[in-house]
Amino acid sequence: MIYLDNAATTRTVPEAVEAMLPYFTEYYGNAGSIYRLGSESRKAVIQAKETIAATLGAEPNEIYFTSGGTESDNWALKAVYEAYREKGKHIITSSIEHHAVLHSCEYLKRQGAEITYLDVDADGLISVEQLKRAIRPDTILISIMYANNEIGTIQPVREVGEIAAAHDILFHTDAVQVYGQFPVDVEQCHIDLLSASGHKFGGPKGAGFLYVSKKAKIRSFLHGGQQERGRRAGTENVPGIVGMEAAVKRAYDTADGKPAAGKLERVKMLRDYLISRIEQEIPGAKLNGHRTKRLPGNVNFSFEDVQGESALIMLDMKGICASSGSACTSGSLEPSHVLLAAGQPPELARGSLRMTLGEENTMEEMDTVVEALKEIVERIRVCRL
Ligand SMILES: *Cc1c(COP(=O)(O)O)cnc(C)c1O
């Protein structure tokens, strides 16, 4: 099997599995309990916050554990709206956000919020000028993703943060595709809230976090017990948190919060090799996303006269796991909202294919994939004639 869907989820790294096991079998106490067994769990949660905070240049009490990226995004948007409603009701986001952000915005709109969706150019980049023009006296939040999960485009996050800070507006970024891949500095980028998810970087599913700067007021999202300083009730997912911490330590395995040298370079090299072979050898292939401001493992193409789903099924028969930019909604094939926002005609957007690489992929696999794709694209086109 060749796994090329690391943007959907990753294999849990052995360090994470190993770190988690004792928290199921030995240290299973509730982190809120008084006795020593509980304090083992409590210590582990506190330690994980310290580890994560250090990688961001944040403080441990600015990290709140959640069930993952979706919860973190929902929490950030809904709680900021609630806490700052007196100040204003205007939120700025982009048209290519993950649905966890877009659908939260739709929900808030029904509650009375006003939302501005920034456009993107053909590479998927927002315009900083349009952002500046969109700001109003009642703007309370700018939510722009760090990098896009479909096309891999990395946004000018630092510039966005500087603009937000200059206008005294909170800045949230969905960093799910970035945290655990390359360095993120919340202070340098003026990030007030940041969403991350463990299973996107080698941790277990169901564990993530929301960074909330101590400058930002935030309301409780899940109401109940006093966990997470009363802001996120529910018994802590201690094994998940410990597993995510182990994945963080592996991702950022130096003291300065930077990823291990060479790791990113290797994935980028595989990415660029795959991109260049597809461009040279498959006619009618169009690279989606920015060529250089791009996630290290992201390859996304649209193929003329090809349905993404057909290609996926044929790739699967050859043992290759990839993904298409489109989602099947109630039987109709909806082209990706990201590609449409980037100005791609629906016909071409339906032929998109995303392959997201990870540390475990090899050069031989890239060659196998190109040969398989050549054959598949040709076969689909012949069938259509
Ligand atoms: C995967 C993903 C999410 C959702 O994270 P989960 O932990 O799966 O809920 C949100 N945003 C982006 C950009 C993602 O890639």
Side-chain angles (χ1 to χ4, degrees):
M1 191 193 77
I2 301 180
Y3 187 73
L4 301 179
D5 206 13
N6 285 280
T9 195
T10 57
R11 185 211 292 271
T12 314
V13 295
E15 293 93 323
V17 177
E18 203 183 313
M20 289 169 80
L21 279 176
Y23 289 89
F24 289 109
T25 55
E26 253 179 275
Y27 309 123
Y28 49 82
N30 189 313
S33 300
I34 298 293
Y35 40 78
R36 268 172 294 163
L37 189 64
S39 71
E40 288 298 331
S41 296
R42 196 155 54 244
K43 272 194 289 191
V45 172
I46 292 168
Q47 177 58 52
K49 273 189 194 175
E50 287 171 2
T51 302
I52 290 170
T55 63
L56 288 167
E59 289 173 22
N61 62 9
E62 295 175 313
I63 306 297
Y64 295 87
F65 290 121
T66 66
S67 63
T70 300
E71 184 187 327
S72 298
D73 285 344
N74 271 264
W75 188 6
L77 286 146
K78 293 174 185 174
V80 165
Y81 180 68
E82 202 184 317
Y84 289 84
R85 200 156 28 184
E86 313 253 286
K87 185 184 168 207
K89 55 183 179 185
H90 183 231
I91 296 172
I92 301 173
T93 186
S94 84
S95 50
I96 64 164
E97 298 295 311
H98 189 274
H99 283 131
V101 167
L102 290 178
H103 291 171
S104 293
C105 285
E106 279 170 33
Y107 168 82
L108 290 176
K109 199 170 163 202
R110 291 193 295 274
Q111 308 297 309
E114 289 175 19
I115 317 282
T116 299
Y117 298 92
L118 300 180
D119 304 319
V120 295
D121 66 14
D123 291 330
L125 279 174
I126 61 156
S127 144
V128 170
E129 289 312 311
Q130 194 194 12
L131 169 64
K132 285 184 191 159
R133 285 197 303 274
I135 291 173
R136 313 191 321 204
D138 64 340
T139 306
I140 51 172
L141 178 69
I142 297 172
S143 179
I144 300 289
M145 68 199 319
Y146 209 122
N148 184 267
N149 47 304
E150 288 187 30
I151 57 176
T153 301
I154 300 171
Q155 301 295 346
V157 167
R158 192 169 168 171
E159 280 176 81
V160 174
E162 280 165 2
I163 293 165
H167 289 82
D168 202 19
I169 298 167
L170 292 177
F171 174 34
H172 165 249
T173 188
D174 174 340
V176 171
Q177 290 294 331
V178 169
Y179 184 79
Q181 312 289 338
F182 54 84
V184 176
D185 187 322
V186 290
E187 203 173 285
Q188 204 174 55
C189 297
H190 300 279
I191 296 166
D192 299 299
L193 301 104
L194 176 143
S195 305
S197 176
H199 74 99
K200 300 293 178 86
F201 59 91
K205 291 158 186 66
F209 68 86
L210 179 66
Y211 156 80
V212 184
S213 152
K214 54 185 179 310
K215 289 193 313 235
K217 278 191 287 182
I218 184 103
R219 294 289 161 83
S220 172
F221 188 49
L222 294 184
H223 302 93
Q226 281 303 308
Q227 293 92 350
E228 300 291 300
R229 282 169 289 125
R231 278 156 172 185
R232 200 274 186 182
T235 300
E236 293 86 345
N237 171 11
V238 181
I241 290 166
V242 167
M244 174 163 65
E245 182 197 19
V248 169
K249 281 185 180 159
R250 179 185 157 115
Y252 299 114
D253 57 2
T254 55
D256 58 2
K258 296 217 167 65
K263 231 188 239 177
L264 282 179
E265 292 314 311
R266 202 181 143 274
V267 177
K268 256 189 211 168
M269 191 260 300
L270 293 176
R271 173 196 75 184
D272 293 339
Y273 176 75
L274 185 56
I275 288 175
S276 84
R277 276 203 66 186
I278 290 173
E279 286 188 320
Q280 281 165 27
E281 298 174 41
I282 305 182
K286 185 203 167 290
L287 179 69
N288 295 316
H290 197 281
R291 203 167 277 277
T292 52
K293 291 173 188 160
R294 182 177 198 98
L295 286 171
N298 179 288
V299 176
N300 187 317
F301 276 95
S302 291
F303 297 96
E304 282 167 21
D305 303 321
V306 170
Q307 283 262 326
E309 268 70 19
S310 322
L312 281 186
I313 292 163
M314 289 162 83
L315 282 168
D316 184 34
M317 291 192 299
K318 291 175 181 287
I320 299 168
C321 306
S323 127
S324 82
S326 56
C328 277
T329 26
S330 59
S332 71
L333 295 177
E334 290 291 330
S336 141
H337 71 286
V338 176
L339 294 175
L340 294 182
Q344 193 158 111
E347 271 321 294
L348 191 57
R350 281 199 186 87
S352 75
L353 189 66
R354 178 185 78 177
M355 294 169 279
T356 43
L357 321 179
E359 261 181 74
E360 295 189 337
N361 291 119
T362 64
M363 205 66 165
E364 293 73 55
E365 288 179 338
M366 300 302 109
D367 288 324
T368 309
V369 169
V370 174
E371 294 309 325
L373 261 182
K374 275 158 70 172
E375 189 190 313
I376 287 168
V377 167
E378 198 168 321
R379 191 135 45 105
I380 293 174
R381 284 178 180 157
V382 166
C383 292
R384 286 186 55 133
L385 289 178

